[in-house]
Amino acid sequence: MGVKNLWDILESCKKILPLHHLQNKRVCIDLSCWMVQLQNVNRTHCAMTSKLYLQCLFHRLRALIALNYGSIPSIKLSAYRRRLNVGSEVNAEETNPKIVSSLRRNMGSEFSCMIKEAKSLGKALGIPCLDGVEEAEAQCALLNSESLCDACFTSDSDAFLFGARTVYRDICLGEGGYVVCYEMADIERNLGFGRNSLITLAVLLGSDYSQGVYGLGQESACQIVKSVGDSAVLHRIALEGISFAQKPKVSKKKARSLSANHERDANGADSNFQKNTEFMEVINAYLKPKCHPPDSDAVYRVLAIYPFNRHQLQQICAQFFDWPPEKTDEYILPKIAERDLRRYASLRSTSSNLGVKVSMDEMPVKCPISSIIKQRKLQGRDCFEVSWEEVHGLNASVVPADLVERACPEKIVEFQERKAQGKKRNHCVSRPKKLGNMPSAEEIDLKLQKLLLDIENESKTTRGASLSGRSKLEKTSALIQADLAIQELHLEDKLEKEADSVTTTGCKSVAPGPGGTEVIDLMSPLPVSAPSSTRQGANVECIDLIELSESETEISPDHARKARDLRLFIASIKDD
């Protein structure tokens, strides 16, 4: 609950921030507030046995794990039952104490089971839980005021009264997710309310510890607190109680005289202080809450880094959500890897702030990134797709580019060098010309069939040409024989003249050489056979005319073999 109407008073200081505002921040979570919210959602949409509240808690913690490197859920042991009973109080008519105690015991038991389930889920995720002494928001506020965490997650407005500096009231996940943030610096600057003023508003308006002043609204209460001032308002309550808030308005001159009288009577304020002990108890409950001290063992334990238990988480998700191990890994492993990378980046930045520049190879913890695969852009943000090294079997995932730059800039340099070398290699190697659209299998089949038909048509044309060429060959051979007859007559005349010249000069006819070979000039006309009267006197050889047979004009065996091979090749393509 917190302080009545305080969120309305602080409305002007509300800020809506994107989820990535939580990056690298350690936060404390008022787990009892979250469980009450999620329990109401569960009751609205489905039965409690569906464990929707636990599934919603899983997704909230999963988002925070990826965004920051630490969260500390804190729960209260006594006040969460009061929260649970808000809006469902037992009627005054129900006077049976057995019924009332049974109802409250059952509600407390149900909520206790929810808290146990939430704590086991957080433990499996590597998130410790601190059991608060009284108020969980008081413990979160103390850790925030001591700078042991950066902010508190709670819907109780009295976290500022316990000393919190930054409070996240609500969170929305998914695309365009955000957190509702309030900061004490904005409250002091915009409204003029410090911690003492807020405590006074709790006394006047009502809170978990007081009923407030009957009939006093928030505007009147704010005016009274501002008129007194943050530094003096608690002292005035100690002296007068809340009587000054019940008085009618007076002029400024009279108000100054009243304050002067109160200062003169400060030495005799002991009696008034005893009368107003109940108001001082309220004030002390906010100024001195019962919490674990910042230097206690309980706080040190939750500030330590706890390991992620993959097997235990798979068992919890299978038991409550009916998820297979693969689905659980798909949800959580990329977030766990990103959290480990943030822890590594935090370690490097801490050493750098201390003036110790350590290279990645000299770090005591191994870098979880193996290499950068490629650049990506998700929701307008620059990211890298990286391969992981020994992160519970996770191969690759996408992480923000600024995180990689903080954690391991050397990996970015290696990636850029590989990218530049790849561009040079592609530039040196001549690229082949781009082929057009590749024909389909049916087109290839049609082309091969057309080729086969062309070969068969060519063969038929050759056979037809051989048949029609017979007559031409016969005519050609007749012309050749006529020509040979004419040449034979000329040769006979020549031989007769040579025989006459031989007889007159006494020369002999030249015979073939001793080797029995005769050189024939291929360029000279074909020799013809001499008549019988002259063949005996001269050594002349007869040359027979060889006619082309019909079989030699047909398809050659080579051609037939190639056509057969082509048919077999086409048949094999069709079978494939």
Side-chain angles (χ1 to χ4, degrees):
M1 176 182 170
V3 181
K4 183 181 178 182
N5 297 328
L6 183 57
W7 288 126
D8 296 332
I9 296 172
L10 304 180
E11 181 68 21
S12 61
C13 301
K14 180 175 72 174
K15 294 186 290 187
I16 306 296
L17 302 175
L19 278 180
H20 63 79
H21 173 76
L22 299 177
Q23 287 182 3
N24 304 322
K25 285 184 170 55
R26 182 187 292 270
V27 296
C28 283
I29 301 169
D30 185 351
L31 186 59
S32 57
C33 275
W34 274 17
M35 295 309 294
V36 170
Q37 292 176 357
L38 299 177
Q39 185 189 34
N40 293 333
V41 172
N42 204 146
R43 285 175 174 169
T44 304
H45 292 84
C46 55
M48 291 298 295
T49 54
S50 64
K51 305 292 183 182
L52 180 62
Y53 61 88
L54 195 62
Q55 191 170 341
C56 292
L57 178 64
F58 168 80
H59 287 295
R60 283 190 177 186
L61 295 178
R62 169 177 166 266
L64 292 179
I65 283 173
L67 290 170
N68 54 69
Y69 55 85
S71 57
I72 309 170
S74 180
I75 63 172
K76 61 183 69 177
L77 298 178
S78 58
Y80 69 81
R81 289 187 177 86
R82 183 187 68 247
R83 280 208 187 107
L84 193 63
N85 293 332
V86 171
S88 59
E89 293 289 345
V90 180
N91 296 330
E93 298 176 356
E94 297 176 352
T95 55
N96 190 342
K98 294 183 179 179
I99 297 176
V100 174
S101 62
S102 176
L103 176 62
R104 291 177 176 172
R105 184 172 59 253
N106 291 336
M107 295 179 70
S109 177
E110 179 185 350
F111 196 79
S112 297
C113 291
M114 293 172 59
I115 292 294
K116 288 179 182 178
E117 292 167 356
K119 290 174 67 175
S120 63
L121 178 63
K123 184 179 179 181
L125 290 170
I127 302 174
C129 188
L130 176 63
D131 294 332
V133 178
E134 283 189 353
E135 299 287 344
E137 66 268 26
Q139 187 69 62
C140 293
L142 177 63
L143 297 177
N144 185 211
S145 62
E146 295 292 332
S147 300
L148 296 178
C149 69
D150 298 300
C152 308
F153 263 105
T154 181
S155 59
D156 277 349
S157 56
D158 55 1
F160 290 111
L161 284 66
F162 289 114
R165 301 299 301 175
T166 302
V167 173
Y168 298 122
R169 182 184 178 186
D170 200 4
I171 182 172
C172 178
L173 303 180
E175 188 175 352
Y178 60 87
V179 289
V180 180
C181 177
Y182 296 83
E183 293 191 80
M184 194 64 191
D186 296 334
I187 297 172
E188 294 170 347
R189 181 175 57 254
N190 299 339
L191 300 177
F193 292 150
R195 184 180 178 185
N196 294 338
S197 299
L198 296 179
I199 294 174
T200 305
L201 289 176
V203 174
L204 298 178
L205 297 176
S207 66
D208 293 340
Y209 302 104
S210 65
Q211 298 296 324
V213 177
Y214 179 77
L216 187 66
Q218 63 184 46
E219 293 183 2
S220 300
C222 290
Q223 290 177 0
I224 292 171
V225 172
K226 286 182 179 180
S227 64
V228 178
D230 184 72
S231 58
V233 66
L234 293 183
H235 180 68
R236 188 161 182 178
I237 292 177
L239 294 176
E240 300 181 23
I242 58 173
S243 58
F244 69 93
Q246 297 171 332
K247 292 180 181 180
K249 286 186 177 181
V250 295
S251 62
K252 293 183 179 179
K253 186 176 181 181
K254 192 172 183 180
R256 290 197 194 103
S257 64
L258 287 173
S259 63
N261 292 333
H262 285 308
E263 289 177 1
R264 285 193 297 269
D265 296 340
N267 296 329
D270 293 340
S271 58
N272 294 331
F273 181 77
Q274 292 176 355
K275 294 178 182 178
N276 300 309
T277 54
E278 58 175 312
F279 300 113
M280 292 306 300
E281 288 178 359
V282 174
I283 294 173
N284 289 330
Y286 288 118
L287 292 177
K288 300 175 183 179
K290 293 181 180 180
C291 300
H292 295 289
D295 56 351
S296 63
D297 293 338
V299 173
Y300 284 146
R301 280 196 299 269
V302 298
L303 293 177
I305 296 177
Y306 285 77
F308 163 65
N309 194 327
R310 180 186 179 188
H311 181 65
Q312 185 180 357
L313 181 64
Q314 288 176 348
Q315 287 181 338
I316 292 173
C317 293
Q319 178 183 355
F320 296 128
F321 313 145
D322 291 331
W323 288 356
E326 295 78 14
K327 185 174 181 179
T328 304
D329 291 344
E330 182 182 354
Y331 271 124
I332 198 62
L333 289 186
K335 306 300 182 183
I336 294 295
E338 189 171 341
R339 181 185 68 177
D340 293 346
L341 186 61
R342 290 189 186 279
R343 288 176 175 176
Y344 183 82
S346 176
L347 183 62
R348 292 200 72 177
S349 64
T350 301
S351 61
S352 179
N353 293 335
L354 293 175
V356 181
K357 293 186 178 180
V358 183
S359 64
M360 190 174 64
D361 297 332
E362 296 174 349
M363 289 289 292
V365 180
K366 191 175 182 181
C367 179
I369 291 181
S370 174
S371 63
I372 298 176
I373 300 174
K374 61 181 178 180
Q375 289 177 309
R376 297 281 296 273
K377 200 148 193 165
L378 294 180
Q379 299 178 1
R381 295 186 64 196
D382 293 329
C383 299
F384 285 117
E385 183 177 348
V386 301
S387 60
W388 299 100
E389 193 156 354
E390 300 177 0
V391 183
H392 305 282
L394 180 64
N395 294 325
S397 66
V398 179
V399 294
D402 57 345
L403 175 59
V404 180
E405 187 175 358
R406 290 197 307 272
C408 45
E410 298 88 347
K411 297 291 183 180
I412 299 179
V413 174
E414 291 177 6
F415 170 70
Q416 292 173 345
E417 290 177 353
R418 288 199 315 269
K419 194 174 179 181
Q421 291 176 359
K423 286 184 178 179
K424 288 181 180 179
R425 196 179 299 112
N426 293 337
H427 181 71
C428 295
V429 177
S430 59
R431 296 182 178 179
K433 294 182 179 180
K434 293 183 178 180
L435 299 175
N437 295 331
M438 296 296 293
S440 62
E442 295 179 356
E443 293 177 351
I444 294 174
D445 194 14
L446 290 174
K447 288 183 178 181
L448 290 174
Q449 289 180 2
K450 185 179 178 182
L451 180 61
L452 182 59
L453 290 173
D454 290 343
I455 293 173
E456 291 178 354
N457 291 334
E458 185 180 353
S459 301
K460 291 178 181 179
T461 305
T462 307
R463 292 193 191 98
S466 63
L467 293 174
S468 62
R470 286 182 190 174
S471 59
K472 292 181 180 180
L473 286 173
E474 290 174 356
K475 292 179 181 179
T476 305
S477 63
L479 291 173
I480 291 173
Q481 287 177 0
D483 188 42
L484 288 175
I486 294 170
Q487 289 183 7
E488 187 177 357
L489 292 175
H490 287 292
L491 185 59
E492 287 178 357
D493 293 340
K494 189 176 180 181
L495 289 174
E496 286 178 358
K497 290 179 181 179
E498 286 180 357
D500 293 342
S501 63
V502 169
T503 54
T504 55
T505 56
C507 296
K508 296 181 180 178
S509 64
V510 179
T517 59
E518 181 182 359
V519 178
I520 300 175
D521 187 5
L522 296 177
M523 298 302 293
S524 62
L526 289 174
V528 296
S529 57
S532 57
S533 60
T534 57
R535 278 181 191 164
Q536 297 174 357
N539 189 10
V540 180
E541 294 183 358
C542 297
I543 300 174
D544 298 328
L545 180 64
I546 303 174
E547 293 184 359
L548 294 174
S549 65
E550 182 182 349
S551 61
E552 292 180 10
T553 61
E554 295 175 355
I555 302 174
S556 64
D558 239 350
H559 187 81
R561 180 177 55 78
K562 289 181 180 178
R564 185 174 62 256
D565 294 341
L566 182 59
R567 291 190 189 94
L568 293 174
F569 172 69
I570 294 171
S572 65
I573 291 177
K574 290 180 178 180
D575 293 337
D576 293 337

